[in-house]
Amino acid sequence: MLDKPNLELWPIGNCQVSALVDTEGAFAWGCVPRVDGDPVFCTLLNGARRDEGVWRFEIEGQVSATQHYRRNTPILVTRLEAEDGSALEIHDFCPRFERSGRMYRPVAFIRIVRPVAGTPRLRMVLAPMKDYGGARAENTSGTNHIRYLVEPQALRLSTDAPVGYVLENRTFRLEHDLHFFLGPDEPFVGNLRAEVRQMEALTERYWTHWTRGLHIPLEWQNEVIRCAIALKLCQHEETGAIVAALTTSVPEAPHSERNWDYRYCWIRDSYYTVQALNRLGALDVLEKYLTYLRNIIDSAKGGRIQPLYSVMGQSELDEGHETALAGYRGMGPVRRGNAAFMQIQHDCYGQIVLPTVQGFFDRRLLRMADERDFESLEQVGEMAWAMHDQPDAGLWEFRTRQEVHTYSAVMCWAACDRLANVADRLGRGDRCEVWHQRADAIRAKIESEAWVENGELGGHYGASFESDYLDASLLQMVELRFLSPDNERFLSTFAAVERELRRGDHMLRYAAEDDFGAPETAFNVCTFWLIEALHLVGRDSEARVLFETMLSHTTRSGLLSEDLDYETGELWGNFPQTYSLVGVINCAGLLSKPWSEVR
């Protein structure tokens, strides 16, 4: 059993529910009926209560545990070995495949336990919680099932294992495969063994075929595929929303209280996610997300967009503390909800427009955007134009101060610039001219208000119009096409950012104190932005070394959290973090050798 929680976690899921499996094969985190629901599995955050909120298999006399994903899938295999040489395997997945003309992705977790050597003796602990760790779920049982009374819907474990042994956590001899289907509270139809095995085969087939359609780089293929699968698992397919991470309240640094609930759809994070997956050709994620965005735009009053919404599009995400959970390694608070929904963040207008624009140009899409979509999108553009020089909380979501942040202004510029492109595509010359003029006006404002002269050092763009401090988002000015890589102002800004924010092989998002003091950890996506910038200015060999260094910090599952202690290398922050996975995909694409080298 693990001495203390860590982020060596293996996600499984089906775009409806997900679970994080620890290195011993235990479910350490998992919410129902969706990612922002009640964590029925919560040992990641419940302190010393290791037998509550867990689903764990134990082999008597265990001496080792090893894990791997089946190739190109999120189907996890955990092998437990005992001192007498006996061994078993646990195969974990959430079913996902086409059936009856639709995608079958139930609120369900499947575990198959197989003896693979000797005569292993098995003990199972299944103790789902309710009310955010407040109480164990009551249960009732039948001949081949156990019902767990959680809200808003009960769960039923259907199994061919001895139910009495399961209920009493007794150790018994494992002589043949056992099958466990934890899903909706309804009778399991059909032969459990046959149905579960068919689900396993169909789920594997789905994921291998989905992966087969990705346009991956020549180098770092395994890393890119693993990150792409994890990003897809972060999409709530019912609505198309993409969450920032699967967890809440893993602190950005020890005892920092920078503990946030990331199980919501940030417009900013989702923009970067669909951008990265689109580069790999995963149009299904983009299409579903565009549907989500259209609903957000329709419900926006006067074109005003919040920074984040629930996966169902809910706008009210009141933030509170869940006191029954002690927090990651006892470092509370555990937050539910996120007060950032009330913040003003003007960059979100660009992040609505940029992915939506593809719908007007990409003929592969099942539903291309039309004139009506352009009219709706112009409302968002009007807000970008109105707010480009107004104070906001910025992309780092400062809670106690507002400034005119340069990144937000550049994103507003990008919104107007891309709307001009769409207007031209639709033959709307009048609107094209309007949006071009607005983009030019915003550009002029940024050039005059954000630039900071710095004597012999050559000057740089500031993180905001009101101050001269730096942040890593300034490196995105090339990605957004505001500047070219050889632009003198970009080169001078890059030099300043690297000088002030780089810590060895890693990058801070900013060094100035914020609402919680000075940042203590590197922000992983910023390190990837550094790698991209190094490539853009021709420092490819250095970029490759830093990229390999970042990959060395990934978990055994091949993933990253939000933050990293740049002195110890330990991962911190919510997991898996979409920003960080996007960084892996983008940098691999930039730095890889071309496929032509193997032809």
Side-chain angles (χ1 to χ4, degrees), residues 461-524:
Y461 291 101
S464 75
F465 288 9
E466 294 89 343
S467 59
D468 61 357
Y469 78 96
L470 294 151
D471 79 16
S473 70
L474 297 167
L475 301 181
Q476 288 288 284
M477 297 175 88
V478 171
E479 170 67 30
L480 294 170
R481 303 205 305 265
F482 185 83
L483 299 174
S484 62
D486 59 354
N487 180 278
E488 289 187 6
R489 284 195 165 189
F490 172 72
L491 293 173
S492 182
T493 299
F494 176 34
V497 168
E498 187 176 15
R499 183 171 59 249
E500 295 294 323
L501 303 183
R502 184 170 175 176
R503 299 293 185 272
D505 294 332
H506 305 285
M507 187 74 116
L508 303 179
R509 51 188 165 178
Y510 48 83
E513 288 196 2
D514 61 14
D515 317 333
F516 293 83
E520 302 172 58
T521 52
F523 205 68
N524 287 327

Side-chain angles (χ1 to χ4, degrees), residues 14-17 34-35 95-98 102-106 206-207 210 231-243 284-285 287-289 291-292 311-312:
N14 61 5
C15 304
Q16 172 64 40
V17 290
R34 58 181 188 249
V35 65
R96 178 180 172 83
F97 50 87
E98 290 190 20
R102 62 182 179 86
M103 189 61 67
Y104 177 68
R105 41 172 174 74
Y206 168 82
W207 285 106
W210 183 80
L231 287 178
K232 185 168 175 64
L233 292 182
C234 288
Q235 181 167 58
H236 185 69
E237 189 169 68
E238 180 182 1
T239 62
I242 301 168
V243 297
D284 59 329
V285 176
E287 286 186 310
K288 291 179 176 65
Y289 180 61
T291 299
Y292 180 79
V311 296
M312 301 304 295

Side-chain angles (χ1 to χ4, degrees), residues 437-568:
Q437 289 177 356
R438 291 177 173 180
D440 289 344
I442 297 174
R443 174 183 286 278
K445 175 76 73 170
I446 293 169
E447 294 290 4
S448 65
E449 300 295 328
W451 184 253
V452 178
E453 290 294 346
N454 197 15
E456 294 180 0
L457 293 176
H460 60 79
Y461 291 101
S464 75
F465 288 9
E466 294 89 343
S467 59
D468 61 357
Y469 78 96
L470 294 151
D471 79 16
S473 70
L474 297 167
L475 301 181
Q476 288 288 284
M477 297 175 88
V478 171
E479 170 67 30
L480 294 170
R481 303 205 305 265
F482 185 83
L483 299 174
S484 62
D486 59 354
N487 180 278
E488 289 187 6
R489 284 195 165 189
F490 172 72
L491 293 173
S492 182
T493 299
F494 176 34
V497 168
E498 187 176 15
R499 183 171 59 249
E500 295 294 323
L501 303 183
R502 184 170 175 176
R503 299 293 185 272
D505 294 332
H506 305 285
M507 187 74 116
L508 303 179
R509 51 188 165 178
Y510 48 83
E513 288 196 2
D514 61 14
D515 317 333
F516 293 83
E520 302 172 58
T521 52
F523 205 68
N524 287 327
V525 72
C526 296
T527 303
F528 288 116
W529 290 349
L530 167 64
I531 294 168
E532 292 173 6
L534 289 171
H535 165 75
L536 290 171
V537 300
R539 294 160 62 183
D540 266 12
S541 59
E542 187 177 354
R544 288 178 68 92
V545 169
L546 286 187
F547 185 50
E548 291 286 1
T549 298
M550 282 302 294
L551 294 180
S552 74
H553 291 295
T554 60
T555 60
R556 279 169 272 183
S557 59
L559 306 175
L560 287 165
S561 63
E562 180 183 49
D563 307 275
L564 185 145
D565 186 318
Y566 51 83
E567 293 182 350
T568 68

Side-chain angles (χ1 to χ4, degrees), residues 1 23-25 57-67 78-88 90 556:
M1 188 181 302
T23 54
E24 299 294 318
F57 294 101
E58 300 172 358
I59 185 173
E60 192 173 72
Q62 179 177 322
V63 294
S64 68
T66 56
Q67 292 170 295
T78 302
R79 181 185 175 97
L80 304 181
E81 296 187 357
E83 56 192 359
D84 64 359
S86 60
L88 60 82
I90 309 163
R556 279 169 272 183

Side-chain angles (χ1 to χ4, degrees), residues 319-366:
E319 185 177 303
H321 295 179
E322 295 296 337
T323 57
L325 294 173
Y328 183 74
R329 301 183 186 173
M331 301 176 194
V334 172
R335 287 187 170 92
R336 178 185 183 184
N338 199 303
F341 82 90
M342 297 185 293
Q343 289 189 350
I344 303 300
Q345 297 177 27
H346 299 319
D347 57 312
C348 64
Y349 300 114
Q351 288 140 0
I352 286 272
V353 171
L354 265 62
T356 305
V357 161
Q358 185 168 339
F360 295 90
F361 293 88
D362 195 335
R363 301 200 64 83
R364 298 171 297 170
L365 295 171
L366 295 175

